[in-house]
Amino acid sequence: MSTLTPAPETAAAKRVLPPKPMAAAIVALSFTLLLYLVELVDVILPGDLDQGGIHSRVLSGLDGVLFAPVLHAGWSHLFANTVPVLVFSFLAMAAGIGRFALVTAIIWVVSGLGVWLLGPSDGVTVGASGLAFGWLAYLLVRGLFNRAAGQILVAVVLLGVWSGMLAGLLPGNPGVSWQGHLFGALAGVLAAWLTTRRSRKAAPAPAGNLEG
């Protein structure tokens, strides 16, 4: 008979929900609370923290790639990002917090660099929407790369609920960084591909047939 036992890494990659939902919920809530704390500090302090965002094609503004996702242009901007950040980050922890950290790092850097390269030169770009688009794209395509029916079903549901977000990938809405959205989404696809490839490399070759 043949023995085909999935490797733990491969099985984890195909999960739909986080293995430790409470821990994942705490991480998602903690990050969201950090966004609110930063915005509160920005309101209280006399300075303008948003100036620490991304100044496109300005070398001194390159460090904004690190800070822009935690800064927002007012409470309404933050409110608009809150639910997507909570839901997408929670679901993106299905393969564990370590995998989530790697996926988030890829999205964070790639989306920020995309804005720095192609964003408007007459303003500062801030906001977690690049992360939200990246996590959404990651969730939409990971099931295809993993060949996981459950993840594909989740992707269909997410697409049905948040399909309106996809319009943000295109230019046309003044004051909205479609560059951050687009590069965030591209980074999410890249992260899904890279992490799936990593899982397959970690999986042992199927055992041969054993005569019984």
Side-chain angles (χ1 to χ4, degrees), residues 62-169:
L62 191 56
D63 57 354
V65 171
L66 297 178
F67 304 119
V70 298
L71 301 169
H72 286 83
W75 291 110
S76 60
H77 185 202
L78 178 54
F79 294 155
N81 283 334
T82 297
V83 173
V85 164
L86 281 171
V87 174
F88 301 159
S89 63
F90 175 80
L91 291 175
M93 283 183 257
I97 293 178
R99 174 71 61 83
F100 169 73
L102 175 60
V103 168
T104 301
I106 293 171
I107 296 169
W108 195 300
V109 173
V110 172
S111 62
L113 289 177
V115 171
W116 187 81
L117 287 170
L118 298 178
S121 59
D122 57 348
V124 183
T125 302
V126 296
S129 55
L131 283 178
F133 272 84
W135 287 326
L136 177 59
Y138 169 78
L139 294 169
L140 290 178
V141 303
R142 63 173 179 171
L144 299 176
F145 290 132
N146 289 322
R147 300 184 183 94
Q151 292 181 347
I152 293 174
L153 179 60
V154 169
V156 171
V157 173
L158 290 174
L159 191 58
V161 175
W162 275 284
S163 59
M165 280 183 62
L166 300 182
L169 298 173

Side-chain angles (χ1 to χ4, degrees), residues 177-194:
S177 176
W178 63 269
Q179 297 93 340
H181 299 170
L182 178 60
F183 278 91
L186 292 175
V189 175
L190 174 64
W193 178 73
L194 289 174

